[in-house]
Amino acid sequence: MRVRDLLAPGAPRLRLLAGEDELDRQVTGVMTTDLQDPGRYLHGGELVLTGMLWRTAPADSERFVRTLVTAGAAALGAGEVEVGPVPDDLAAACRRHRLPLLAVPDDVAFGAVTEYVGRQVSADRAADLAALVDRHRLLVSAAGAGGLDAVLDLLGGDLDLDCWVLTPTGRVVAGPADHLPAADRDRLARAHLAAQRGRRRPPHRVRLAADTYSLLPAAAEGAEESPLADWILAVAGDVTEWTTERQQLADNLARLVAAERARRDEGRRLRRRIADEVLALLQRDADPAEIGRALHTATTMAVRYEGSTERPGTDPQWLVLSADATGLPDGALRPVLEEALAGATDRALTAALGPTGAVAVLPALDAAVPADAVRELLAPLEAGLGSEGRITVGVCAPAAESGGLRGALEEARHARRIAAARVGRVCVAGPEELASHVLLLAAVPDEVRRAFRSRLLDTVIAYDLEHQADLVRTLEAFLRSDGSWTRCAARLHVHVNTLRYRIGRIEELTGRDLSRLEDRVDFYLALELAR
């Protein structure tokens, strides 16, 4: 269809404000957006519908129109229901750039315009597979994840094409979850992260049993983007063997998913501001009533505006997570945690803490084993971390009410220090470990740790290297056998006399006496520090 068809009898009642000489432009589809820069989500020929929420000053109109023209948009439809009549500066910008501008009265729904365009376009190119995505672009922009499900259902029903939108932790955002087992989703997410880390060009092909899947990234928008937070489009089949038309369909669908992700992130802006406020309140030890009001506001907003399935009620038990990352871009940990925690609750509040850290406040996942639940959520992200990349998380014990969150934050920070002292790419420590010697070790400065370990073990390690005497392993086995000669000899498969000789040699090298509890404790701690 052409732009002039939008003004024909039977079309929605639109008013032409600019671009009278450009009415023969071809319209290929519809996109609804209030992003300031939607250019990357356009591929040419769209009627762009906007509520003008991006406009805060007259200069914004010039930038917005220039972006649309550069991306090849066919026309702009400006809705008057949100901000009133179309401003003169927007009409002037469209005239300068020769872009047709149509006013959409407040009693004409964007859905009616999209439906009309869909009917006209489908009649012109019913055989074009890419039109299946274009015809439902408004549905996705306006309806969120439900819209993505509708598009994927359409592809599955009309084309027998199964598609899923996954998070990097394997959670299903949209698509037939019952057609893809949880174990397969986990493997696909890990394969995608490994391919992204290796900088391999998409689509990434993965074979599971007898089935092949193609994975395409749907990159997050903005400076905080990270492959660990991006959505993934998983398509059944090998798209590299498809026809050009079907490959174009997959590319368009990936763009559509990216646009939906950007729309969802726009909706998170207010939630992030509340999260920053909650963190500031906790850091300055504010009145618990003030903290409670902020949490209640976030909960109400999640239900009213974000489609949360969780309903606010009495003050729940809360968890605080303290997290830090290495090997990720500055600011990237916050969206990574947001996506991971979304698989457990709609009510997590995640705030940035410095360039590499983040703090999350959320209803208790499982009051018995909160750290285990968090560890399970984050485990798939290991595949996306390089050799130097790490995520360390500390989890507090559930706080019974908002007044206990200040202490919970401190507890989570102590637990994170324990996690940081471990070896691994994703390490999580919980409150049950705060009464362990591990907490003391984590709090000791690195130079003191190294000096303590060196004084006790360096001579033993050097002796082992020179004589292959296996003294370090013998020492560890002796301590884990509680000093029992018989049990330790059996564990090492040596004679008791051989064990006594080795322990004697350790005592000679170190000047310590392993019959004394104090010396045993020192050796045990030194071995722990060596891990």
Side-chain angles (χ1 to χ4, degrees), residues 17 52 54-55 58 61 78 80 83-92 101:
L17 301 182
M52 298 185 290
W54 45 265
R55 182 184 176 276
S61 295
E80 297 180 324
V83 298
V86 178
D88 292 338
D89 50 86
L90 180 57
L101 173 63

Side-chain angles (χ1 to χ4, degrees), residues 502-513:
R502 291 181 182 178
I503 295 298
R505 178 60 65 185
I506 292 171
E507 291 174 334
E508 289 176 11
L509 292 170
T510 61
R512 299 297 188 104
D513 182 355

Side-chain angles (χ1 to χ4, degrees), residues 55 188 339 384 496 498 521:
R55 182 184 176 276
L188 291 177
E339 284 302 323
V496 171
T498 301
V521 170

Side-chain angles (χ1 to χ4, degrees), residues 138-361:
L138 174 65
L139 180 64
V140 173
S141 298
L148 279 178
D149 273 319
V151 172
L152 299 187
D153 286 346
L154 178 71
L155 295 175
D158 289 4
L159 301 177
D160 194 24
L161 179 61
D162 277 343
C163 304
W164 301 264
V165 178
L166 307 176
T167 69
T169 58
R171 176 174 63 89
V172 176
V173 177
D178 55 332
H179 292 188
L180 194 63
D184 288 350
R185 298 198 301 266
D186 181 84
R187 291 177 62 187
L188 291 177
R190 290 175 184 267
H192 174 79
L193 290 175
Q196 290 285 87
R197 192 183 75 227
R199 301 184 183 278
R200 298 203 294 272
R201 290 173 58 86
H204 311 308
R205 288 164 291 173
V206 180
R207 189 165 184 82
L208 301 180
D211 300 317
T212 298
Y213 298 86
S214 298
L215 307 175
L216 295 92
E221 176 73 13
E224 294 178 340
E225 65 179 309
S226 164
L228 295 182
D230 293 341
W231 285 353
I232 308 161
L233 174 62
V235 182
D238 185 349
V239 301
T240 63
E241 297 178 353
W242 289 2
T243 63
T244 302
E245 291 79 7
R246 276 196 170 237
Q247 289 183 11
Q248 183 63 46
L249 170 63
D251 290 340
N252 286 345
L253 186 56
R255 291 193 190 97
L256 185 149
V257 172
E260 166 59 16
R261 171 64 188 277
R263 184 204 66 79
R264 199 285 314 275
D265 285 349
E266 284 289 310
R268 275 185 172 173
R269 285 187 177 182
L270 178 58
R271 192 171 181 80
R272 286 183 170 188
R273 286 202 296 271
I274 294 175
D276 292 338
E277 177 186 346
V278 169
L279 177 58
L281 292 173
L282 291 177
Q283 288 179 319
R284 64 180 175 86
D285 202 13
D287 185 344
E290 192 175 359
I291 299 173
R293 285 193 294 272
L295 292 173
H296 180 75
T297 298
T299 298
T300 303
M301 182 185 67
V303 173
R304 184 173 299 172
Y305 301 112
E306 300 180 19
S308 171
T309 58
E310 300 175 33
R311 293 292 183 262
T314 57
D315 197 9
Q317 288 191 319
W318 294 95
L319 290 181
V320 177
L321 274 61
S322 175
D324 199 67
T326 56
L328 296 183
D330 286 355
L333 184 57
R334 180 187 215 171
V336 169
L337 277 184
E338 285 176 338
E339 284 302 323
L341 295 175
T345 176
D346 297 327
R347 295 161 60 189
L349 290 175
T350 307
L353 186 63
T356 65
V359 172
V361 179

Side-chain angles (χ1 to χ4, degrees), residues 83-108:
V83 298
V86 178
D88 292 338
D89 50 86
L90 180 57
C94 287
R95 280 191 286 270
R96 281 194 299 273
H97 291 279
R98 304 176 64 85
L99 180 69
L101 173 63
L102 303 165
V104 184
D106 57 8
D107 59 346
V108 175

Side-chain angles (χ1 to χ4, degrees), residues 383-399:
L385 294 166
S387 57
E388 301 300 321
R390 293 192 76 204
I391 295 176
T392 56
V393 182
V395 185
C396 72

